[in-house]
Amino acid sequence: MNEVWLVILPLIAGYLLDLAFGDPRTIPHPVVGFGNMISWAERHFNCGRFRKWKGAVVALSFPLFAGMAGWGITVGTLAVGDWCFCIVASVFVFYGLANHSLIREGREVIDILKKQGVEAGRRRLSWIVGRDTSELSPKGIYTAVLETMAENLSDGVVAPLFYYALGGFPAMMAYKMVNTLDSMIGYKDERYRQFGCMAARLDDVLNYIPSRISALLMIASAWIFRMDYKRAWAVWKRDRRKHASPNSGFPESAMAGILDCRFGGAHVYHGLLVEKPYIGDNDREISYADFRIAVRVNHMVTLLTVVSIVAVYLCVFIK
């Protein structure tokens, strides 16, 4: 089989599997294994002296391990046959994508908010965000869901696909390890400031290009859906660098422009009050209709990313 198809077929199959099923909750998942590894390392090494150096070793060695494990699986499955490799690679692409699950988690928060009230909505939201949710209003819950969907569209969809395009599913899994490290230890509180420093920096570096691609694809999606893409472009251009993160402001500003809403403000993270600059202009009430628009944008960005990778491989590598 042509090597190009060994990239394209698992990509398409994994995308379709994620579109249909999302992350399975009842069978083993690599990211759960990554989380267990990180928890073990944090318990054993985030103590005593040299925490910063120990954290740096973890942040660099764990993604290398994930990539090498993926490479070993690649070699082993190709030795069996191309179709064996395609099946296994498709499963890893499926595991690496998170769009279906991202949308599902957001919908569950909103459904619980509508059916069971604010307290239940706050508790369910706390499963998917790092901020303190105990004082959030319904509007704050909706806003947090939309911010999370925008930011994680980059982290959970475009970035994994970007690294898949560069290095197959081993690179995708290495990126997922970096992203999991950042989500677990990449905080600035007293416990993680030193140990998680390298993990946070590495995640910033690896998401630099994907976050910008994500924002541009979101604006392109607004154009495709005949939304106000000019407003989305204007808000993105003005507000994309307001976020404390070098990357998160790019997709968040694009989403705020698409929805004509406002993100940011004061939030509590791990006991620390963080004043985020406002992104977007219109401080209005947010409804389920806004969530539905965000879902459409997420699906379109995912599709555009997959189609772009396929097109590049077909145009550049097929002669």
Side-chain angles (χ1 to χ4, degrees):
M1 185 184 296
N2 189 301
E3 291 182 1
V4 171
W5 292 106
L6 293 178
V7 175
I8 291 175
L9 291 179
L11 172 61
I12 295 174
Y15 162 69
L16 293 175
L17 286 170
D18 178 72
L19 186 65
F21 302 110
D23 286 341
R25 291 174 171 173
T26 57
I27 62 176
H29 194 293
V31 174
V32 175
F34 294 169
N36 291 336
M37 290 175 60
I38 295 164
S39 294
W40 178 87
E42 197 274 334
R43 289 196 304 271
H44 287 80
F45 301 129
N46 189 19
C47 55
R49 301 172 62 193
F50 308 116
R51 293 189 188 188
K52 189 172 184 178
W53 293 105
K54 289 184 285 187
V57 170
V58 170
L60 295 172
S61 62
F62 278 26
L64 180 62
F65 168 79
M68 292 298 293
W71 179 80
I73 293 170
T74 298
V75 172
T77 53
L78 284 174
V80 176
D82 289 349
W83 286 105
C84 178
F85 168 80
C86 283
I87 292 171
V88 172
S90 298
V91 172
F92 276 101
V93 173
F94 167 50
Y95 280 138
L97 286 176
N99 191 49
H100 181 110
S101 299
L102 175 61
I103 293 169
R104 180 180 65 201
E105 295 289 337
R107 182 176 285 114
E108 288 181 1
V109 171
I110 292 172
D111 286 346
I112 288 174
L113 171 65
K114 292 167 64 177
K115 295 175 182 178
Q116 300 180 29
V118 176
E119 287 296 333
R122 291 168 177 166
R123 287 193 297 271
R124 185 63 181 83
L125 177 64
S126 68
W127 296 11
I128 63 172
V129 299
R131 72 188 64 175
D132 182 358
T133 65
S134 61
E135 301 296 329
L136 289 181
S137 64
K139 177 184 175 182
I141 294 172
Y142 267 105
T143 302
V145 168
L146 294 175
E147 287 179 351
T148 299
M149 288 182 66
E151 181 178 354
N152 286 298
L153 179 58
S154 175
D155 293 356
V157 177
V158 176
L161 289 173
F162 178 79
Y163 287 103
Y164 176 82
L166 293 181
F169 78 83
M172 190 184 211
M173 289 298 108
Y175 168 78
K176 294 293 287 187
M177 177 65 88
V178 171
N179 193 239
T180 307
L181 280 160
D182 179 64
S183 68
M184 293 182 66
I185 65 174
Y187 298 104
K188 295 182 180 180
D189 59 10
E190 185 62 30
R191 178 174 178 178
Y192 296 115
R193 183 178 294 112
Q194 294 187 55
F195 187 72
C197 178
M198 179 60 76
R201 296 294 179 270
L202 187 57
D203 186 75
D204 286 343
V205 170
L206 293 187
N207 279 299
Y208 186 87
I209 294 175
S211 65
R212 286 144 178 83
I213 294 173
S214 301
L216 295 176
L217 290 178
M218 292 166 75
I219 296 169
S221 299
W223 176 77
I224 291 170
F225 288 128
R226 299 181 181 274
M227 300 172 186
D228 193 343
Y229 67 92
K230 293 182 180 179
R231 181 184 62 218
W233 174 268
V235 173
W236 170 79
K237 190 174 181 180
R238 186 193 66 200
D239 294 348
R240 67 190 188 275
R241 299 187 188 279
K242 286 185 176 180
H243 203 287
S245 163
N247 302 316
S248 298
F250 282 76
E252 286 191 18
S253 59
M255 184 65 81
I258 291 169
L259 298 175
D260 189 25
C261 66
R262 191 174 76 175
F263 296 151
H267 301 294
V268 177
Y269 290 85
H270 298 272
L272 298 175
L273 179 65
V274 178
E275 291 280 355
K276 292 185 175 182
Y278 287 115
I279 293 175
D281 297 308
N282 194 356
D283 185 22
R284 63 176 180 83
E285 291 299 319
I286 298 176
S287 68
Y288 190 76
D290 297 297
F291 173 75
R292 292 179 62 185
I293 292 171
V295 169
R296 293 171 66 193
V297 170
N298 279 37
H299 278 308
M300 181 55 68
V301 168
T302 307
L303 178 61
L304 289 174
T305 307
V306 171
V307 169
S308 298
I309 294 171
V310 171
V312 168
Y313 268 85
L314 289 177
C315 293
V316 175
F317 299 107
I318 293 289
K319 298 181 180 179

